[in-house]
Amino acid sequence: MADTAAGDSGTSLEQRLDAMLEIERFDPSQQFREQALLSDPAVYERAARDPQGWWAEQAEALDWFERWDTVLDDSEPPFYKWFTGGKLNVSYNCLDRHVDAGRGDRVAYHWRGEEGERRDVTYAELHRDVQRFANALKDLGVQQGDVVGIYLPMIPEVVVAMLACARIGAPHNVVFGGFSAESVKERMEFSEAKVLVTVDGARRKGKTAPIKATVDEHMGDLASLKTVVVVRHARLDGVPMTAGRDVWFDEVCAAAAADCPAEPLDAEHPLFILYTSGSTASPKGILHTTGGYLTGVAATHRYVFDLKPDEDVWWCAADVGWITGHSYIVYGPLANGATSVMWEGAPDYPHKGIWWEVAEETRATLLYAAPTAIRTFMKWGHEIPERYDLSALRLLGSVGEPINPKAWLWYHQVIGGGRCPIVDTWWQTETGAIMITPLPGITSTKPGSATTPFPGVAAEVVGEGDGEPIDSGQGLLVLTQPWPSMLRTLYKEDERFVETYFARFGKERYLVGDAARRDRDGYLWIIGRIDDVVNVSGHRLSTAEVESAIVAHEKVAEAAVIGQSDEDTGQAICAFVTLNGEIEGTDELIAEIGAVVAERIGKFARPKRIIWADDLPKTRSGKIMRRLLRDIAEGRALGDVTTLRDPSVMASLESQIKDAQ
Ligand code: PRX
């Protein structure tokens, strides 16, 4: 169906896409189905009949030093354990077993740098570097269970650092490079990291940020932090190095022994902590463990993207610092022995066709990107990708936020040439791996729907009040059975873990935090967050976190942040700010507030819009009514204002907005 609609009949692309909006379903082409790893829908029934058997089968695709005794230990819900009694090592599964099988010369990463550098890193090279750095960490006193912080840009060393930690059983705590040094400090402090691995400088669009110097300014004296390891990347001069604490990555690697056997670790040994945003200002340390996580990411990477490791070139265009990067740049692809593309930079530097230039040059076959990026490319025009040969592409993925049908169709037509299936994958930092997604050789897709749960995953949409399953209609999304790659807890906050995810509907039902709609065919349509979490360009932020950064400005009395719908970024940060006393809101103050947010969280969290407010709408109990703020920001008629302590606040806010326009 898709192919016929794509035919060029002399009409403009815009007209063609509009006409295609009428098409509700896109069936997998026969050609794709015939070669797909999974093409028989019976896989869903098999997994539903025996989920543990299905997941055990997936776990068998990994190499275990000792086989598990129990697939799922559900004796203490919601603290589920998977593959207990089993021993394995993630780094062994990602490296040694491929090298031992004679695949050491295979490229693990086609790394492409901003300034046109090309570095192809093979499995054997990664294996060598990881062993050295693992030994270096040991030499620095890192022991099993010690947390290692990683704050690195998109360079191969970030993978080396993560796998070296996995090799010796030291959980890593990666902080996205876009977060500020202040955020790094907070995360290192929470997790009591012993070592931080960072870089001299990070390059972005031709400029170099002096990362090490900035880290030094903010890190202060963290009692737990014994060593800072610095990767030489930007080759900056005069990098400050504190004697007795700071060491160069290349020097400690050179001094370390070459062989470091992978440590056999319990299936439930912590693999990493990754902080993400929740309802409150304090980030949540999502804890993932070894056997279940690797099983989940390897199986989903293989089946959702129909990966043929001998032929495919995989490109996940996320950043390693987010869960998408952990699971689908590092662990899933390496466990499956895939060849990946790793792009250091931005999508518009040195020019707006750089992604397509890299895709053409590496002959990428599978691409996984965020809707924000797709919408941006759409805005730049189809003429840009059309200049490149993208004929190697055979499947496209989307992740991070709902994809609007128009962007879906543009992706399908312009990037995928009408022939590539699109997999819209829904999941979260907490779920570790993809949960709701099409299987490209089986599922008929509907633009805008993430379709149905992956085999072995069970989801329902339930009523907000009664928690009863909704057959067709809107409600809250819940996952109704444990899955191997689920978070095990919030680091050092077991109670908050239970409270956040399992208090509302009981310990057997994981509350996702998204609203969703289930249609008559059982397809799921994700609507968005139900908590105060905002999704800006696929970056997850808590409104409370941004608010507390804004009120840190001395002239600010109070702030309320909402996620406003945004054509480009999905949602954008809009802040209502009340200033102290008689202070007037000025452009200068807007810039200052933006700078405070950039310093405390990161540039990506800066408000796109600041609205000065004499007062904020509050209930009688003093709670800010964000719903009304969203109505105002998005120019809608106001909802019910009768519960406000002072309903006149809304009228004055509206007139303030008008004055500003
Ligand atoms: O709201 C959902 C949205 O992103 C949230 C999870 O964010 P994070 O933990 O940062 O992980 C993002 C990458 C996996 C979800 O609660 N989200 C993620 N994927 C989709 C999505 N919303 C709609 N459709 C998706 N495919």
Side-chain angles (χ1 to χ4, degrees):
M1 192 193 282
D3 291 333
T4 51
D8 194 349
S9 54
T11 49
S12 75
L13 174 72
E14 188 74 14
Q15 284 167 324
R16 272 198 292 137
L17 294 187
D18 280 343
M20 289 176 76
L21 283 170
E22 303 294 315
I23 303 174
E24 287 186 346
R25 294 170 77 107
F26 289 75
D27 299 327
S29 68
Q30 190 179 344
Q31 200 189 357
F32 194 93
R33 225 175 29 229
E34 276 170 5
Q35 61 79 57
L37 292 176
L38 291 179
S39 56
D40 182 356
V43 64
Y44 286 104
E45 286 134 52
R46 180 158 59 97
R49 240 187 349 261
D50 178 14
Q52 292 186 36
W54 158 262
W55 285 120
E57 213 177 285
Q58 306 314 314
E60 269 158 19
L62 304 177
D63 276 21
W64 294 76
F65 295 130
E66 268 173 51
R67 201 186 153 82
W68 57 89
D69 312 312
T70 312
V71 175
L72 169 65
D73 173 354
D74 57 1
S75 57
E76 212 193 321
F79 298 94
Y80 297 99
K81 298 191 182 87
W82 284 84
F83 309 114
T84 49
K87 284 194 189 292
L88 76 165
N89 184 287
V90 165
S91 141
Y92 182 92
N93 273 280
C94 290
L95 302 172
D96 303 55
R97 63 173 179 155
H98 305 310
V99 174
D100 293 349
R103 293 190 294 268
D105 291 339
R106 176 175 294 177
V107 172
Y109 294 99
H110 292 296
W111 180 79
R112 297 294 178 260
E114 277 210 340
E115 302 301 334
E117 304 91 330
R118 294 179 182 187
R119 221 170 116 192
D120 288 343
V121 185
T122 65
Y123 275 87
E125 286 164 348
L126 260 189
H127 186 230
R128 179 198 63 200
D129 295 349
V130 165
Q131 291 190 77
R132 284 221 184 248
F133 190 53
N135 277 330
L137 287 174
K138 284 202 232 171
D139 295 344
L140 292 167
V142 176
Q143 293 175 355
Q144 218 183 89
D146 288 342
V147 174
V148 173
I150 299 178
Y151 182 50
L152 286 172
M154 289 283 286
I155 52 177
E157 285 79 2
V158 72
V159 182
V160 172
M162 289 165 80
L163 291 181
C165 290
R167 201 162 184 89
I168 62 173
H172 55 68
N173 177 5
V174 179
V175 182
F176 167 54
F179 275 116
S180 65
E182 182 87 24
S183 292
V184 180
K185 180 188 174 191
E186 185 186 38
R187 284 156 170 75
M188 294 305 110
E189 201 166 12
F190 283 155
S191 65
E192 294 173 87
K194 205 163 175 178
V195 171
L196 173 67
V197 188
T198 187
V199 70
D200 54 353
R203 311 185 306 179
R204 188 79 177 167
K205 300 201 196 191
K207 296 201 183 107
T208 301
I211 301 294
K212 173 61 171 58
T214 315
V215 164
D216 277 5
E217 274 169 32
H218 291 262
M219 202 53 70
D221 285 329
L222 271 193
S224 65
L225 194 70
K226 302 286 179 251
T227 312
V228 178
V229 181
V230 187
V231 176
R232 261 185 259 259
H233 173 56
R235 309 262 154 199
L236 292 181
D237 292 330
V239 176
M241 297 291 276
T242 304
R245 189 196 67 178
D246 301 350
V247 294
W248 290 104
F249 176 87
D250 49 319
E251 289 177 7
V252 290
C253 285
D259 294 324
C260 177
E263 199 68 45
L265 298 169
D266 286 339
E268 284 295 342
H269 188 79
L271 177 64
F272 65 84
I273 306 159
L274 184 58
Y275 280 90
T276 188
S277 299
S279 296
T280 65
S282 118
K284 303 186 286 196
I286 306 294
L287 180 79
H288 282 290
T289 59
T290 299
Y293 173 79
L294 198 64
T295 299
V297 297
T300 50
H301 182 243
R302 184 178 319 116
Y303 293 130
V304 173
F305 304 107
D306 191 49
L307 177 84
K308 317 280 182 358
D310 299 339
E311 298 150 29
D312 279 315
V313 176
W314 161 251
W315 185 3
C316 168
D319 191 286
V320 174
W322 300 104
I323 192 67
T324 310
H326 280 55
S327 299
Y328 299 108
I329 293 177
V330 184
Y331 292 117
L334 291 179
N336 288 331
T339 294
S340 300
V341 173
M342 189 177 189
W343 166 240
E344 177 188 25
D348 59 349
Y349 183 87
H351 58 81
K352 290 186 169 126
I354 187 63
W355 270 33
W356 318 118
E357 186 182 308
V358 170
E360 174 182 283
E361 180 257 317
T362 55
R363 303 295 294 157
T365 59
L366 312 168
L367 176 66
Y368 193 32
T372 286
I374 297 156
R375 285 192 297 266
T376 304
F377 294 132
M378 244 172 110
K379 211 157 77 182
W380 292 342
H382 58 96
E383 298 80 5
I384 298 177
E386 279 166 5
R387 278 181 218 136
Y388 299 89
D389 175 7
L390 303 178
S391 60
L393 283 174
R394 65 181 195 90
L395 178 141
L396 303 171
S398 171
V399 59
E401 43 173 330
I403 179 164
N404 48 311
K406 192 91 179 258
W408 194 104
L409 290 167
W410 189 91
Y411 198 25
H412 186 256
Q413 292 300 301
V414 177
I415 305 303
R419 72 185 177 276
C420 302
I422 292 191
V423 287
D424 174 3
T425 62
W426 175 90
W427 58 294
Q428 312 175 293
T429 309
E430 290 89 337
T431 67
I434 293 168
M435 296 282 108
I436 300 173
T437 176
L439 286 177
I442 299 177
T443 316
S444 298
T445 49
K446 301 186 190 184
S449 169
T451 74
T452 58
F454 185 78
V457 174
E460 276 174 6
V461 172
V462 301
E464 225 170 296
D466 58 8
E468 285 301 311
I470 293 173
D471 198 41
S472 116
Q474 189 173 322
L476 305 182
L477 185 64
V478 290
L479 300 177
T480 53
Q481 109 200 341
W483 63 98
S485 64
M486 69 192 292
L487 78 165
R488 295 303 192 259
T489 191
L490 296 179
Y491 190 61
K492 293 193 180 157
E493 295 186 294
D494 284 348
E495 266 175 39
R496 188 177 176 200
F497 165 69
V498 178
E499 178 60 32
T500 309
Y501 306 105
F502 297 97
R504 187 138 173 197
F505 298 120
K507 291 177 180 167
E508 320 272 292
R509 290 197 288 180
Y510 167 85
L511 179 72
V512 157
D514 282 343
R517 181 166 67 82
R518 192 173 189 276
D519 72 14
R520 269 185 233 115
D521 298 328
Y523 276 44
L524 298 163
W525 301 72
I526 311 299
I527 293 165
R529 304 286 311 187
I530 54 165
D531 48 11
D532 296 322
V533 169
V534 184
N535 191 329
V536 182
S537 302
H539 295 166
R540 187 168 153 178
L541 278 165
S542 105
T543 52
E545 213 174 335
V546 182
E547 284 163 6
S548 78
I550 294 176
V551 298
H553 191 290
E554 54 180 13
K555 292 186 180 152
V556 173
E558 196 173 24
V561 164
I562 55 149
Q564 179 184 347
S565 299
D566 188 275
E567 231 179 55
D568 299 328
T569 56
Q571 285 187 306
I573 300 272
C574 170
F576 290 79
V577 176
T578 309
L579 296 170
N580 281 323
E582 298 298 304
I583 296 172
E584 287 283 312
T586 58
D587 286 351
E588 209 179 1
L589 206 46
I590 289 179
E592 279 176 32
I593 290 173
V596 175
V597 175
E599 170 126 358
R600 294 180 80 104
I601 305 174
K603 283 188 186 156
F604 68 95
R606 279 180 305 200
K608 182 163 180 182
R609 186 174 176 202
I610 287 183
I611 297 173
W612 305 117
D614 290 341
D615 203 353
L616 294 168
K618 291 188 188 140
T619 60
R620 285 181 196 100
S621 61
K623 204 169 170 273
I624 293 173
M625 289 195 69
R626 289 163 207 283
R627 178 174 54 79
L628 292 177
L629 294 177
R630 261 191 300 271
D631 287 344
I632 280 226
E634 293 173 1
R636 267 192 307 273
L638 292 182
D640 184 9
V641 295
T642 53
T643 52
L644 286 182
R645 187 168 54 197
D646 176 7
S648 72
V649 168
M650 294 313 290
S652 87
L653 254 183
E654 275 185 314
S655 73
Q656 269 169 301
I657 288 197
K658 274 203 201 92
D659 291 348
Q661 277 163 355

